[in-house]
Coordinates of all heavy atoms in Angstrom, one line a residue:
N1 N 0.9 -1.2 0.0 CA 0.0 -0.1 0.0 C 0.9 1.2 0.0 O 0.5 2.3 -0.7 CB -1.0 0.0 1.2 CG -1.9 1.0 1.0 OD1 -2.9 0.9 0.2 ND2 -1.8 2.1 1.9
T2 N 2.0 1.3 0.6 CA 3.0 2.4 0.7 C 3.4 2.5 -0.7 O 3.5 3.7 -1.2 CB 4.1 2.1 1.7 OG1 3.5 1.9 3.1 CG2 5.1 3.3 1.7
A3 N 3.8 1.4 -1.4 CA 4.3 1.6 -2.6 C 3.2 2.1 -3.6 O 3.5 3.0 -4.6 CB 4.7 0.2 -3.3
L4 N 1.9 1.7 -3.5 CA 0.8 2.2 -4.2 C 0.7 3.7 -4.1 O 0.6 4.5 -5.0 CB -0.5 1.5 -3.9 CG -1.7 2.1 -4.6 CD1 -2.7 0.9 -4.8 CD2 -2.4 3.0 -3.8
M5 N 0.8 4.2 -2.8 CA 0.7 5.6 -2.5 C 1.8 6.4 -3.2 O 1.6 7.5 -3.7 CB 0.6 5.9 -1.0 CG -0.5 5.2 -0.3 SD -2.2 5.8 -0.8 CE -2.0 7.4 0.1
Y6 N 3.1 5.8 -3.2 CA 4.1 6.5 -3.8 C 4.0 6.5 -5.4 O 4.4 7.5 -6.0 CB 5.5 5.9 -3.4 CG 6.0 6.5 -2.2 CD1 6.1 5.9 -1.0 CD2 6.6 7.8 -2.2 CE1 6.6 6.3 0.2 CE2 7.1 8.4 -1.0 CZ 7.1 7.7 0.1 OH 7.6 8.3 1.3
T7 N 3.4 5.5 -5.9 CA 3.0 5.5 -7.4 C 2.1 6.6 -7.8 O 2.3 7.2 -8.9 CB 2.5 4.2 -7.7 OG1 3.4 3.0 -7.3 CG2 2.1 4.0 -9.2
G8 N 1.3 7.1 -6.7 CA 0.4 8.2 -7.0 C 1.2 9.5 -7.3 O 0.6 10.5 -7.7
R9 N 2.4 9.5 -7.0 CA 3.3 10.7 -7.4 C 3.6 10.8 -8.8 O 4.1 11.9 -9.2 CB 4.4 10.8 -6.4 CG 4.1 11.0 -4.9 CD 5.5 11.1 -4.2 NE 5.1 11.2 -2.7 CZ 5.8 11.8 -1.9 NH1 7.0 12.4 -2.3 NH2 5.4 12.0 -0.6
L10 N 3.4 9.7 -9.5 CA 3.7 9.8 -11.0 C 2.5 10.4 -11.7 O 1.4 10.2 -11.3 CB 4.0 8.3 -11.5 CG 5.1 7.6 -10.8 CD1 5.0 6.1 -11.2 CD2 6.5 8.3 -11.1
R11 N 2.8 11.1 -12.8 CA 1.8 11.9 -13.4 C 0.8 11.0 -14.0 O -0.5 11.1 -13.9 CB 2.4 12.6 -14.7 CG 1.4 13.4 -15.3 CD 2.0 14.2 -16.5 NE 2.5 15.4 -15.7 CZ 2.0 16.6 -16.2 NH1 1.5 16.7 -17.3 NH2 2.4 17.6 -15.6
A12 N 1.2 9.8 -14.5 CA 0.3 8.8 -15.2 C -0.7 8.2 -14.2 O -1.8 7.8 -14.5 CB 1.0 7.7 -16.0
T13 N -0.2 8.0 -13.0 CA -1.1 7.4 -12.0 C -1.4 8.3 -10.8 O -1.5 7.9 -9.6 CB -0.3 6.1 -11.5 OG1 0.8 6.5 -11.1 CG2 -0.3 5.1 -12.6
S14 N -1.5 9.6 -11.0 CA -1.8 10.6 -9.9 C -3.1 10.5 -9.4 O -3.5 11.2 -8.3 CB -1.4 11.8 -10.4 OG -2.2 12.3 -11.5
L15 N -4.1 9.8 -10.0 CA -5.4 9.7 -9.5 C -5.4 8.5 -8.5 O -5.9 7.5 -8.7 CB -6.4 9.4 -10.6 CG -7.9 9.5 -10.2 CD1 -8.4 10.9 -9.8 CD2 -8.7 9.1 -11.4
V16 N -4.9 8.8 -7.3 CA -4.9 7.8 -6.1 C -6.3 7.3 -5.8 O -6.3 6.0 -5.7 CB -4.2 8.5 -5.0 CG1 -4.2 7.5 -3.7 CG2 -2.8 8.9 -5.3
P17 N -7.3 8.0 -5.8 CA -8.7 7.4 -5.4 C -9.0 6.4 -6.6 O -9.7 5.4 -6.3 CB -9.6 8.6 -5.5 CG -8.8 9.9 -5.1 CD -7.4 9.6 -5.8
G18 N -8.6 6.7 -7.8 CA -9.0 5.7 -8.9 C -8.1 4.4 -8.6 O -8.7 3.3 -8.9
M19 N -6.9 4.5 -8.2 CA -6.2 3.4 -7.9 C -6.8 2.5 -6.8 O -6.9 1.3 -6.9 CB -4.7 3.7 -7.4 CG -3.8 4.0 -8.7 SD -2.0 4.1 -8.4 CE -1.9 5.4 -7.2
F20 N -7.3 3.2 -5.8 CA -8.1 2.6 -4.8 C -9.5 1.9 -5.2 O -9.8 0.7 -4.7 CB -8.2 3.4 -3.5 CG -7.1 3.5 -2.6 CD1 -6.1 4.5 -2.7 CD2 -6.7 2.3 -1.7 CE1 -5.0 4.4 -1.8 CE2 -5.6 2.3 -1.0 CZ -4.7 3.4 -1.1
L21 N -10.0 2.4 -6.2 CA -11.1 1.8 -6.7 C -10.9 0.6 -7.4 O -11.5 -0.4 -7.3 CB -11.9 2.8 -7.7 CG -12.6 4.0 -7.1 CD1 -13.1 5.0 -8.1 CD2 -13.7 3.6 -6.1
G22 N -9.7 0.5 -8.2 CA -9.2 -0.6 -8.8 C -8.8 -1.6 -7.9 O -9.1 -2.8 -8.0
F23 N -8.1 -1.2 -6.7 CA -7.6 -2.1 -5.7 C -8.8 -2.8 -5.0 O -8.7 -4.0 -4.9 CB -7.0 -1.1 -4.6 CG -6.2 -1.7 -3.4 CD1 -4.8 -2.1 -3.8 CD2 -6.7 -1.7 -2.2 CE1 -4.0 -2.6 -2.6 CE2 -5.8 -2.1 -1.2 CZ -4.7 -2.6 -1.4
A24 N -9.9 -2.0 -4.5 CA -11.0 -2.6 -3.9 C -11.7 -3.6 -5.0 O -12.3 -4.6 -4.5 CB -11.9 -1.6 -3.4
S25 N -11.8 -3.1 -6.2 CA -12.5 -3.9 -7.2 C -11.9 -5.2 -7.4 O -12.6 -6.4 -7.6 CB -12.6 -3.2 -8.5 OG -13.4 -2.1 -8.5
Y26 N -10.5 -5.2 -7.3 CA -9.8 -6.7 -7.6 C -10.1 -7.5 -6.4 O -10.4 -8.7 -6.6 CB -8.3 -6.4 -7.7 CG -7.6 -7.8 -7.7 CD1 -7.5 -8.4 -9.0 CD2 -7.1 -8.4 -6.5 CE1 -7.0 -9.6 -9.0 CE2 -6.6 -9.6 -6.8 CZ -6.5 -10.3 -7.9 OH -6.0 -11.5 -7.9
F27 N -9.9 -7.1 -5.0 CA -10.2 -7.9 -4.0 C -11.7 -8.5 -4.0 O -11.9 -9.6 -3.8 CB -10.0 -7.2 -2.7 CG -8.6 -6.9 -2.4 CD1 -8.2 -5.7 -2.0 CD2 -7.7 -7.9 -2.4 CE1 -6.9 -5.4 -1.7 CE2 -6.4 -7.7 -2.2 CZ -5.9 -6.4 -1.7
A28 N -12.7 -7.5 -4.4 CA -14.0 -8.1 -4.5 C -14.2 -9.1 -5.6 O -15.0 -10.1 -5.4 CB -15.1 -6.9 -4.7
T29 N -13.6 -9.0 -6.7 CA -13.6 -10.0 -7.8 C -12.9 -11.2 -7.4 O -13.6 -12.3 -7.5 CB -13.0 -9.4 -9.0 OG1 -13.6 -8.1 -9.4 CG2 -13.1 -10.3 -10.2
F30 N -11.7 -11.2 -6.9 CA -11.0 -12.4 -6.5 C -11.8 -13.2 -5.4 O -12.1 -14.3 -5.5 CB -9.6 -12.1 -6.3 CG -8.8 -13.4 -5.9 CD1 -8.5 -14.3 -6.8 CD2 -8.5 -13.6 -4.4 CE1 -8.0 -15.6 -6.4 CE2 -7.8 -14.8 -4.1 CZ -7.5 -15.7 -5.1
F31 N -11.9 -12.4 -4.3 CA -12.6 -13.1 -3.1 C -14.0 -13.5 -3.3 O -14.7 -14.3 -2.7 CB -12.3 -12.4 -1.9 CG -10.8 -12.4 -1.5 CD1 -10.0 -11.1 -1.6 CD2 -10.2 -13.6 -1.2 CE1 -8.7 -11.3 -1.1 CE2 -8.9 -13.6 -0.7 CZ -8.1 -12.4 -0.9
G32 N -14.7 -12.8 -4.3 CA -16.1 -13.1 -4.6 C -16.3 -14.1 -5.5 O -17.4 -14.7 -5.8
G33 N -15.0 -14.7 -6.1 CA -15.2 -15.8 -6.9 C -15.6 -15.5 -8.5 O -16.2 -16.3 -9.1
F34 N -15.5 -14.3 -8.8 CA -15.9 -13.8 -10.1 C -14.7 -14.0 -11.1 O -13.6 -14.2 -10.6 CB -16.2 -12.3 -10.1 CG -17.5 -12.0 -9.5 CD1 -17.5 -11.6 -8.1 CD2 -18.6 -12.0 -10.2 CE1 -18.7 -11.3 -7.5 CE2 -19.9 -11.7 -9.7 CZ -19.9 -11.3 -8.3
G35 N -14.9 -14.0 -12.4 CA -14.0 -14.1 -13.4 C -14.2 -15.4 -14.2 O -14.9 -16.3 -13.8
Y36 N -13.5 -15.3 -15.3 CA -13.7 -16.5 -16.3 C -13.1 -17.8 -15.7 O -13.4 -18.9 -16.1 CB -13.1 -16.1 -17.6 CG -11.7 -15.9 -17.7 CD1 -10.8 -16.7 -17.7 CD2 -11.3 -14.5 -17.6 CE1 -9.4 -16.5 -17.8 CE2 -9.9 -14.1 -17.7 CZ -9.0 -15.2 -17.8 OH -7.6 -14.8 -17.8
H37 N -12.3 -17.9 -14.7 CA -11.8 -18.9 -13.9 C -11.8 -18.7 -12.5 O -10.7 -18.0 -12.0 CB -10.5 -19.4 -14.5 CG -9.8 -20.5 -14.0 ND1 -10.6 -21.8 -14.0 CD2 -8.7 -20.8 -13.4 CE1 -9.8 -22.6 -13.4 NE2 -8.7 -22.1 -13.0
A38 N -12.8 -18.9 -11.8 CA -13.0 -18.6 -10.3 C -11.8 -19.0 -9.6 O -11.4 -20.3 -9.7 CB -14.3 -19.1 -9.8
G39 N -11.2 -18.4 -8.7 CA -10.1 -18.7 -7.9 C -8.7 -18.4 -8.5 O -7.7 -18.5 -7.9
S40 N -8.7 -18.1 -9.8 CA -7.4 -17.7 -10.5 C -7.2 -16.2 -10.1 O -8.0 -15.3 -10.6 CB -7.6 -18.0 -12.0 OG -6.4 -17.3 -12.6
V41 N -5.9 -15.9 -9.7 CA -5.6 -14.5 -9.4 C -5.4 -13.8 -10.8 O -5.9 -12.5 -10.7 CB -4.3 -14.3 -8.5 CG1 -4.5 -14.9 -7.2 CG2 -3.1 -15.0 -9.3
W42 N -5.1 -14.3 -11.8 CA -4.8 -13.7 -13.0 C -6.2 -13.4 -13.8 O -6.3 -12.5 -14.3 CB -3.9 -14.4 -13.9 CG -2.5 -14.4 -13.3 CD1 -2.0 -15.6 -12.7 CD2 -1.7 -13.5 -13.1 NE1 -0.7 -15.3 -12.1 CE2 -0.4 -14.1 -12.4 CE3 -1.5 -12.2 -13.5 CZ2 0.6 -13.2 -12.0 CZ3 -0.4 -11.3 -13.1 CH2 0.6 -11.9 -12.5
A43 N -7.0 -14.4 -13.7 CA -8.4 -14.3 -14.5 C -9.1 -13.2 -13.6 O -9.9 -12.5 -14.3 CB -9.1 -15.6 -14.3
A44 N -9.0 -13.1 -12.3 CA -9.6 -12.1 -11.7 C -9.2 -10.8 -12.1 O -10.0 -9.7 -12.3 CB -9.5 -12.3 -10.0
W45 N -7.9 -10.6 -12.3 CA -7.3 -9.3 -12.7 C -7.8 -8.9 -14.1 O -8.2 -7.7 -14.3 CB -5.7 -9.5 -12.7 CG -5.2 -7.9 -12.8 CD1 -5.0 -7.0 -12.0 CD2 -4.7 -7.4 -14.0 NE1 -4.4 -5.9 -12.5 CE2 -4.2 -6.1 -13.9 CE3 -4.5 -7.9 -15.3 CZ2 -3.7 -5.3 -14.9 CZ3 -4.1 -7.2 -16.4 CH2 -3.7 -5.8 -16.1

């Protein structure tokens, strides 16, 4: 999370709330069993 926050200092990824929306969306997808291959970390991403 510290690395993610520092990544927000880069111009291309300066929208830190957007990164957190993606962050939370990934956890909900993976732990919710969504994706074309449930349980796969890569399919969830």
Side-chain angles (χ1 to χ4, degrees):
N1 192 72
T2 301
L4 179 143
M5 298 294 288
Y6 273 107
T7 302
R9 292 184 180 209
L10 302 172
R11 177 177 279 232
T13 53
S14 63
L15 186 63
V16 174
M19 285 195 291
F20 275 101
L21 291 174
F23 191 79
S25 293
Y26 177 81
F27 287 130
T29 301
F30 178 71
F31 291 113
F34 288 92
Y36 59 86
H37 183 54
S40 166
V41 293
W42 298 104
W45 188 82

